[in-house]
Structures are given as C-alpha cells and as structure tokens.
C-alpha cells in the first residue's frame, strides 16, 4: 500500500461546501456534522474570527491510501483517521472529515481550523508531513488492516466450518 499525506494552507472554509457535494461526510470534532454545509462553514468562521488578522484560516489535509489489499468500510476508515489525528496531536482542533472510498484506493480529506477552541493557534510553518506523521499513519493503518474483523475475505466461512 502506498501512503501520501499532503497538507495545504487554506484562506477560507468554502472547500467544505465542495467536498460535501462530492464526498462522504464522515466525522468531525467540535462541530455538529448534521448541520447543513453553510452552517458548518459559519461555525468554522466563527471560531477563526477569534484571531482577527489571520489570513490562512485552516489546514487542508489529503491522505491517500493507494493499492489497499483489503476493501475497508467507512467505520474502518474512521478508525484510521481518529488514530492518526490523535497520534499527531491535532485532536484538540476543530475539524471535519470526508471520505472517498474506491476499490483499492481510499482518499481522506480533513479540514482543520487553525484556531483551537481554547484560542491557541497552529503554526503553518509545520505544514508538510514529516516521517513521524507517516509512521503514525502506518501504525494506524496496520492496526486496522491486520485485524481480521476488518478483512471481508477472512469473514467468509464455508458451510462445513459454521
């Protein structure tokens, strides 16, 4: 499996509207994901307004998992996302996550607000995934992929074994 992590600074949260039309809205933190996209965007803007002169309001992360040998479902992908976000220490940020699950490829789109609910700011100088982030992602994927419950091929039993 090939993994890539791309991190980009974004000046507004309009990308949420686009992603909500094209991808599966899967999860969020410090946000009610049942709200319409426009209200979600407004919630992100409200938090980022606590830092008035901020030009780059958020971070857009795209995680690509290509050539996966196991077809993962949405629940398994969310476990990977949650372990990854906690592993890199960004679990205290407001974020929203979208999934694009294809046969053999998974694309995870996460939009983070740079402002924490406590008013702290994430520095964009740290953008660009480092080896530690890749290691966290690798470990997160390994925990899910190596668990037989997540492998649909291992769940199929013949009639004589039931």
């Amino acid at each position: 499996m090939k993994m890539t992590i791309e991190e980009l600074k974004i000046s507004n949260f309009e990308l949420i509207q686009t992603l909500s039309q094209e991808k599966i809205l899967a999860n969020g933190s410090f946000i009610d994901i049942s709200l319409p996209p426009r209200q979600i965007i407004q919630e992100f803007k409200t938090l980022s307004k606590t830092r008035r002169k901020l030009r780059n309001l958020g971070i857009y992360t795209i995680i690509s998992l290509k050539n996966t040998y196991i077809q993962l479902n949405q629940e398994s992908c969310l476990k990977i996302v949650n372990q990854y976000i906690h592993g890199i220490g960004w679990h205290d940020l407001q974020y929203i996550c979208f999934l694009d699950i294809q046969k053999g490829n998974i694309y995870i789109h996460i939009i983070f607000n740079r402002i924490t609910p406590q008013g702290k700011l994430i520095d964009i100088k740290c953008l660009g995934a480092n080896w530690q982030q890749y290691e966290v992602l690798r470990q997160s994927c390994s925990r899910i992929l190596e668990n037989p419950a997540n492998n649909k091929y291992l769940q199929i039993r013949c009639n004589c074994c039931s």
Side-chain angles (χ1 to χ4, degrees):
M1 173 173 56
K2 180 180 179 189
M3 295 183 258
T4 59
I5 304 168
E6 186 176 2
E7 295 175 335
L8 308 165
K9 57 187 175 184
I10 54 174
S11 59
N12 62 56
F13 298 108
E14 296 304 314
L15 184 58
I16 293 170
Q17 179 70 36
T18 304
L19 290 172
S20 68
Q21 295 170 358
E22 301 170 356
K23 314 292 182 216
I24 300 167
L25 174 55
N27 198 11
S29 182
F30 300 108
I31 191 74
D32 180 358
I33 64 169
S34 67
L35 293 172
R38 283 276 148 220
Q39 279 186 265
I40 291 173
I41 293 168
Q42 190 55 48
E43 294 286 325
F44 271 74
K45 286 179 180 178
T46 299
L47 182 56
S48 64
K49 283 181 183 175
T50 59
R51 293 288 185 107
R52 298 229 181 263
K53 295 183 180 183
L54 198 59
R55 278 194 280 155
N56 296 301
L57 304 178
I59 299 168
Y60 176 37
T61 301
I62 307 162
I63 297 172
S64 302
L65 307 174
K66 295 184 178 180
N67 304 318
T68 57
Y69 58 92
I70 297 173
Q71 184 66 34
L72 296 175
N73 61 20
Q74 184 174 335
E75 181 183 345
S76 296
C77 291
L78 282 177
K79 288 178 184 177
I80 291 170
V81 169
N82 288 333
Q83 289 176 18
Y84 174 74
I85 290 173
H86 275 80
I88 65 170
W90 284 8
H91 57 279
D92 61 341
L93 294 177
Q94 181 183 49
Y95 70 85
I96 191 163
C97 174
F98 296 89
L99 299 174
D100 182 4
I101 302 171
Q102 302 173 7
K103 186 176 174 122
N105 299 313
I106 297 166
Y107 302 95
I108 301 165
H109 302 263
I110 310 168
I111 297 177
F112 292 97
N113 198 327
R114 287 185 55 208
I115 308 298
T116 70
Q118 296 77 29
K120 294 181 182 176
L121 177 66
I122 299 298
D123 194 345
I124 56 173
K125 291 178 188 172
C126 69
L127 287 188
N130 58 31
W131 69 268
Q132 291 103 333
Q133 286 173 264
Y134 277 97
E135 182 59 20
V136 167
L137 181 59
R138 188 197 62 74
Q139 289 177 7
S140 300
C141 289
S142 292
R143 285 187 199 108
I144 301 305
L145 294 174
E146 292 171 5
N147 182 349
N150 297 313
N151 188 335
K152 71 177 183 176
Y153 301 108
L154 294 179
Q155 293 175 351
I156 300 171
R157 290 187 251 182
C158 63
N159 291 334
C160 65
C161 298
S162 301

